């Protein structure tokens, strides 16, 4: 009986720890920079595939993206409990890490967009797999960035700049997906593309 009570108390303590756990500015910046390294690594693999016409590393690309998504979703719970940053020096540290991660994603999406034709010719499944991976990544990162941005005071220049960069990531993800859609549609079939549907909605 005492052992059961003790186990219950330990469980409550662990739950309480997870509930109130938060991250310091340095920890957040380090996490962002580590995510950036994975983003750049995935980009390098995509460009390698495009230049060598060897689809071997494609599985590693998916692994890198899946890892980024897992880490991002895990970190969100900690960031949610992190108070707004009030010191400018700490804001800058976090923003620099944020910008680094953003840059890695922009370059990764550009690599996908420029390599769409090669990837699809080497691996037929990639025409579905890559856009699906990009959509999952975009959704996870969107929530993650929202929480990061909320750490900057509303009147901070870092808040505005980070919001603008978040929008850039959304656009580049869309362009990467669009590139695969265009490649699949082929010449003369552009009306079915993501871009055509987007333009059609905008003209209504």
């Amino acid at each position: 009986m005492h052992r059961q009570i003790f186990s219950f108390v330990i469980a409550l303590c662990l739950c309480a720890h997870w509930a109130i756990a938060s991250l310091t500015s340095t920890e957040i910046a380090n996490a962002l920079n580590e995510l950036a390294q994975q983003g750049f690594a995935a980009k390098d693999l995509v460009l390698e595939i495009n230049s060598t016409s060897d689809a071997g590393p494609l599985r590693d690309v998916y692994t890198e993206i899946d890892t980024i998504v897992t880490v991002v979703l895990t970190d969100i719970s900690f960031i949610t409990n992190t108070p707004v940053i009030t010191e400018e020096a700490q804001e800058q540290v976090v923003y620099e890490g944020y910008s680094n991660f953003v840059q890695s994603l922009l370059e990764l999406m550009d690599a996908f967009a420029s390599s769409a034709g090669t990837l699809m010719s080497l691996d037929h499944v990639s025409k579905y797999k890559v856009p699906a991976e990009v959509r999952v990544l975009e959704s996870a990162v969107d929530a993650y960035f929202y929480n990061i941005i909320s750490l900057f005071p509303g009147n901070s220049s870092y808040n505005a700049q980070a919001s603008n960069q978040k929008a850039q990531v959304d656009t580049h993800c869309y362009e990467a997906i669009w590139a695969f859609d265009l490649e699949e549609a082929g010449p003369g079939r552009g009306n079915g593309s993501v871009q055509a549907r987007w333009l059609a909605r905008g003209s209504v």
Side-chain angles (χ1 to χ4, degrees), residues 5 11 13 17 20 24 41 44 53 68 91 97 100 116 121 125 132 139 144 148 162 173 186 195 200:
I5 294 175
C13 290
H17 171 74
I20 63 175
T24 66
D44 290 341
S53 295
I68 291 174
E91 284 187 75
N100 193 24
S121 67
V125 176
S139 296
Y144 184 59
I148 293 290
C173 287
Q195 186 200 36

Side-chain angles (χ1 to χ4, degrees), residues 8-23 27 74 77-82:
F8 179 70
V9 171
I10 292 297
L12 285 177
C13 290
L14 289 174
C15 289
H17 171 74
W18 281 98
I20 63 175
S22 61
L23 297 174
E27 289 172 334
T74 301
S77 61
F78 292 102
I79 295 174
T80 301
N81 295 311
T82 300

Side-chain angles (χ1 to χ4, degrees), residues 90-163:
Q90 294 180 352
E91 284 187 75
Q92 182 175 353
V93 168
V94 172
Y95 178 73
E96 288 176 353
Y98 178 93
S99 295
N100 193 24
F101 184 31
V102 165
Q103 186 61 37
S104 74
L105 293 175
L106 297 181
E107 293 187 18
L108 174 58
M109 293 305 114
D110 287 347
F112 273 137
S114 63
S115 306
T118 300
L119 293 176
M120 291 174 64
S121 67
L122 294 173
D123 181 11
H124 183 70
V125 176
S126 68
K127 72 178 181 180
Y128 307 111
K129 179 70 172 176
V130 172
E133 289 280 339
V134 171
R135 290 187 181 97
V136 171
L137 176 62
E138 180 186 14
S139 296
V141 167
D142 189 71
Y144 184 59
F145 283 169
Y146 176 83
N147 281 274
I148 293 290
I149 293 170
S150 69
L151 297 178
F152 301 121
N155 60 351
S156 167
S157 61
Y158 293 116
N159 187 297
Q161 294 175 54
S163 296

